[in-house]
C-alpha cells in the first residue's frame, strides 16, 4: 500500500488550498492507513485554534482537522522553523495534536513516503 504525505504550505482562508487538502486527506484515508500530514511555511497556521473565519465571511473548515484521528490519520508534523518565523509558540494550543520537528527532520521523514501531495 502506498504511503502518502500531504504537505500544507498555504495559510487558511486566503485560498482554497487548505480546505481542498483536508478534503483530499479525508478521501484518501478510506484507501490508505499510511498517511501523514506535514505543515510547513504558512501551512503551520492551518492548525491554529480559535480562528474566526466567519468574520471574513469564510467557511470554518479548521475544526475538521480535529476529527482526523477518527479516520486513523494520526501522523501530523509541524515545522519548528516556520512556527518560529511567525512568532508562534511551539506549544501553542492547536486543533490537532502535531509533533514539532526541525526542517531537517521533516525532510528525512518525507523521504519515507511514496507519494507527496502539496496544497
Amino acid at each position: 500500500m502506498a504511503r502518502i504525505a500531504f504537505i500544507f504550505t498555504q495559510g487558511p482562508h486566503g485560498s482554497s488550498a487548505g480546505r481542498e487538502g483536508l478534503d483530499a486527506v479525508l478521501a484518501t484515508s478510506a484507501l490508505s492507513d499510511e498517511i501523514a500530514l506535514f505543515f510547513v511555511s504558512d501551512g503551520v497556521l492551518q492548525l491554529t485554534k480559535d480562528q474566526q473565519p466567519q468574520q471574513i465571511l469564510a467557511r470554518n473548515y479548521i475544526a475538521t482537522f480535529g476529527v482526523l484521528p477518527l479516520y486513523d490519520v494520526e501522523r501530523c508534523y509541524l515545522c519548528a522553523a516556520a512556527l518560529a518565523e511567525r512568532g508562534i509558540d511551539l506549544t501553542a494550543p492547536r486543533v490537532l495534536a502535531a509533533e514539532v520537528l526541525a526542517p531537517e527532520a521533516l525532510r528525512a521523514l518525507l523521504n519515507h513516503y511514496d507519494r507527496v501531495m502539496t496544497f
Side-chain angles (χ1 to χ4, degrees), residues 6-117:
F6 291 87
I7 303 175
F8 290 84
T9 63
Q10 304 288 315
H13 316 303
S15 72
S16 61
R19 184 172 37 83
E20 291 171 358
L22 180 58
D23 288 344
V25 169
L26 289 170
T28 306
S29 69
L31 306 171
S32 177
D33 292 335
E34 297 289 332
I35 294 175
L37 280 56
F38 294 81
F39 297 89
V40 301
S41 188
D42 284 340
V44 297
L45 301 171
Q46 293 283 344
L47 300 183
T48 302
K49 200 169 188 174
D50 298 327
Q51 295 186 37
Q52 298 177 347
Q54 67 278 6
Q55 293 196 9
I56 58 169
L57 305 178
R59 181 176 162 220
N60 187 3
Y61 68 90
I62 299 300
T64 306
F65 277 107
V67 302
L68 288 178
L70 298 174
Y71 292 84
D72 294 327
V73 178
E74 297 175 342
R75 292 181 207 101
C76 300
Y77 307 99
L78 283 165
C79 178
L83 290 171
E85 289 170 1
R86 286 153 186 82
I88 301 172
D89 190 277
L90 300 180
T91 60
R94 299 186 176 88
V95 295
L96 176 68
E99 185 176 352
V100 178
L101 297 174
E104 301 81 23
L106 284 175
R107 279 192 287 274
L109 204 53
L110 265 173
N111 286 334
H112 296 284
Y113 288 87
D114 304 312
R115 305 278 186 266
V116 176
M117 301 181 69

